[in-house]
Amino acid sequence: MADTIAQVQTSVGESRRILIFDTTLRDGEQSPGCSMNLREKLEVAQALADLGVDIIEAGFPIASPGDFEAVREIARQVRGPVICGLARCRPEDIDRAWEAVRYADRPRIHVFLATSPIHREYKLRMTKQQIIERAVEGVRRALSYCPDVEFSPEDATRTELEFLCQVLEAVIAAGATTVNIPDTVGYATPRQMFELIANLRNRVPNIDKAVISVHCHNDLGLAVANSLASIEAGAGQVECTINGLGERAGNCALEEVVMALRTRHDYYRAHTEIHTQRLVPTSRLVSGITGMVVQRNKAIVGQNAFAHEAGIHQDGILKERSTYEIMRPEDVGFTTTQLVLGKHSGRAALADRARALGYRLTPEQLNAVFEEFKLLADKKKEIYDSDLAALIEQEIAHVPDRWTFDSYRVSTASGQTPQVWLRLRRGEQMLEIELADGDGPIDAVFLAIEKLTGLSLVCKDFRVHSVSVGKDAQAEVNVEVEYQNRLYRGRGLSTDTVEASARAFLNAINRILALSNGLNAGRKAAETQPTN
Ligand code: KIV
Ligand code: ZN
């Protein structure tokens, strides 16, 4: 059966090619606390290119100088996919988007304008005729720069069908090459999406001149189902994100829609060009960089996605995998070996294992990971794939370290205020502090860090999980902190939970400093304005 799965999965005769438009760096990055710096965005964009996505929506260039720079650098450096920049239907947005994407081999400008009655009346205060005129002007201006132009009627699924058809006909006549149907608020159901796409195909006279795309949000947990229903009805492009990141409950998860098409090719008769073995490494990279932990039971890329617990299932799997497995873990990038390296393993073994796990490290990154690996091997006898992946992601998700952890000491007991001593490094300087405060050792260390760095934060979320197994397992701590009304995430690793917590807190602080230091300065200026 394993072979049968493989045969079905690779047989793409008579099948429709579905374009994968990834918006992790635009809609995904809009999730609170998911901001990435330039270096991180470039890492993610390169990973998306390696994954084989067709289009990367690299950002919203008018939103801030940081967004602009990121889109421009991705357009300059990342080869393979179409590189797309988002713009409202405003001349200044479109000009800025072009300035950023023009360096790509294949640039795309994506213009959007809301069309639903709610948005027309309350947000835009525009008539239907004005909407059509503005949309056409936007498409024409974008086309004056590049031949690949996508148009999105924002909140399409709550727009009157008749009017939506008129808008689409007008923008296609103006030259839009892709028309995207966003379910902006995640309101649609699969059957409605199917009917909507089918209706558009029947009613918009020039629809065959453009690719129909869908962009589904997950507010009701239906984003993937809605995207698949749209494909069934004839959509040729799906907009999605790694791990389903995105505004509010997120967007359609790339890994889920891709594997549904592949595993149920018999049903959908459609395929993508995604290198599915790179799904897990890409998911880990994005999770490591954004700090958005992937839930254990998440479809396709969750740690438990292929774990069989029930005795009956285990028995079945041992006799014949297809009894309880519809996909092979290796097809999505899970590796079969678990125990990997130890104290005496060398750099070549580590490089080999990193490659097998799907990471492409530069010589500098390999050196840095090897240093960390040796330190870890002193504390921990056996190093598992998950330990190694965590070390690599920590290195890749690099935030310029203004502050680094050096050492700490805490003494505490039930009912007593903890006494903490902490030493941090800032550049060449070592700074120490001693205080008695907090509700426990971790709170005390956080308070000491706030005092030393001079930043006052509100800790909104704190999670610890063990990276691998055993008493000496590394703890991974993820924190979410609020600073000046914005959320930032931080991640820290150590075999000592208090130290991992301190590292996570400092990682969040370094992120705040990097973002307020011009790497992403002023980003999301446009978020405070109406979106159209
Ligand atoms: O959800 C939405 O409507 C969007 C558009 C900009 C496509 O993200
Ligand atoms: Zn969206």
Side-chain angles (χ1 to χ4, degrees), residues 160-169 172 195-208 212:
E160 308 91 324
L161 180 61
E162 204 52 51
F163 180 54
L164 186 61
C165 290
Q166 285 168 15
V167 174
L168 294 183
E169 185 178 351
I172 295 171
E195 281 167 9
L196 176 57
I197 302 299
N199 269 321
L200 295 177
R201 290 185 69 201
N202 285 332
R203 291 190 186 206
V204 178
N206 51 1
I207 196 76
D208 57 325
I212 303 178

Side-chain angles (χ1 to χ4, degrees), residues 23 26-27 30 57 86-87 110-113 150 152-156 180-185 215-217 239 247-248 251:
T23 183
R26 201 278 298 168
D27 217 322
Q30 275 172 227
E57 185 162 57
L86 182 68
H110 176 189
V111 287
F112 73 101
L113 180 66
E150 172 168 331
S152 288
E154 192 189 5
D155 206 14
N180 179 43
I181 308 303
D183 183 27
T184 303
V185 289
H215 175 109
C216 298
H217 276 272
E239 303 203 353
E247 283 274 4
R248 307 180 308 279
N251 288 62

Side-chain angles (χ1 to χ4, degrees), residues 33 399-401 403 446 449 453 455 457-459 461 477-483 486-492 500-516:
V399 179
D401 281 339
W403 291 92
F446 284 3
I449 291 176
T453 59
L455 288 183
L457 313 175
V458 183
C459 187
D461 195 17
V477 173
N478 286 278
V479 295
E480 187 177 83
V481 300
E482 190 179 283
Y483 178 69
R486 276 190 63 186
L487 291 174
Y488 297 83
R489 291 175 198 278
R491 180 168 177 257
S501 308
R503 288 183 183 277
F505 205 64
L506 278 174
N507 182 240
I509 287 180
N510 285 326
R511 225 169 249 282
I512 292 170
L513 295 173
L515 289 173
S516 58

